[in-house]
Amino acid sequence: MAKFWLAGAGIVALALLGAAVAIALWTRGEGQLPADSPEGVVQRFLQAIYGRQFREAYSYLHSEGRCSYETFVSVLGYEGEREESVALEAVELTDDRALVTVRFSQGLGPCLQEHSYRATFQLRREAGQWRITGSGPYRPWCPPEPSLPAPTS
């Protein structure tokens, strides 16, 4: 019975190590996807977010509907926690539009199940470059401006 538990612990350790290596390669710049591809833009956007390079991340947003940098950072709500795993799942291209689906995963400890979720980033070409227009976990769109009541006379 002890051998069974030892083998199980070894398998879990190898899986965690493999996930850590994949994350490091994908989010730290090694194994970079092409910069001129939708998936490459999403990868660099996430790398900038994780590296706290918010100006760089902001540059990957499409100018149409993009708010000020200050609003972007406040909407971002980044608390400094890093996802344990980021994996590219799918890319759909249609002319000058693209959808990039990414899976984010977090291990909750050796005895608990991993939590994961998908996010789909919408991109559109702007001046020949792919830019993020919406969606994703970082909500790169601007919140609506509060409307002020009309003055009464």
Side-chain angles (χ1 to χ4, degrees):
M1 190 63 140
K3 289 182 183 179
F4 174 74
W5 284 105
L6 185 59
I11 290 170
V12 169
L14 285 175
L16 291 173
L17 178 63
V21 169
I23 296 157
L25 292 175
W26 203 79
T27 60
R28 292 198 179 126
E30 299 169 31
Q32 287 282 75
L33 298 170
D36 60 349
S37 68
E39 59 272 28
V41 169
V42 171
Q43 180 186 40
R44 284 162 180 78
F45 175 76
L46 293 173
Q47 287 170 340
I49 295 291
Y50 292 151
R52 301 187 61 82
Q53 302 297 316
F54 299 132
R55 287 248 179 239
E56 181 182 344
Y58 184 73
S59 74
Y60 291 113
L61 303 181
H62 197 281
S63 65
E64 187 178 302
R66 181 172 65 184
C67 53
S68 70
Y69 171 74
E70 292 76 18
T71 302
F72 169 71
V73 172
S74 70
V75 170
L76 186 66
Y78 186 75
E79 298 174 3
E81 292 187 23
R82 183 184 181 108
E83 302 291 340
E84 285 188 5
S85 170
V86 180
L88 175 66
E89 284 204 340
V91 179
E92 296 177 38
L93 290 171
T94 308
D95 300 322
D96 285 343
R97 296 186 182 272
L99 296 174
V100 175
T101 302
V102 175
R103 176 181 290 277
F104 296 92
S105 301
Q106 284 186 317
L108 300 176
C111 299
L112 300 175
Q113 190 173 22
E114 176 181 87
H115 167 73
S116 65
Y117 64 94
R118 286 186 184 98
T120 300
F121 291 83
Q122 300 169 18
L123 294 92
R124 194 169 64 197
R125 281 194 192 269
E126 179 177 47
Q129 297 183 2
W130 290 103
R131 294 293 176 245
I132 298 169
T133 60
S135 290
Y138 299 106
R139 304 175 306 275
W141 56 90
C142 295
E145 293 292 325
S147 57
L148 299 174
T152 56
S153 326

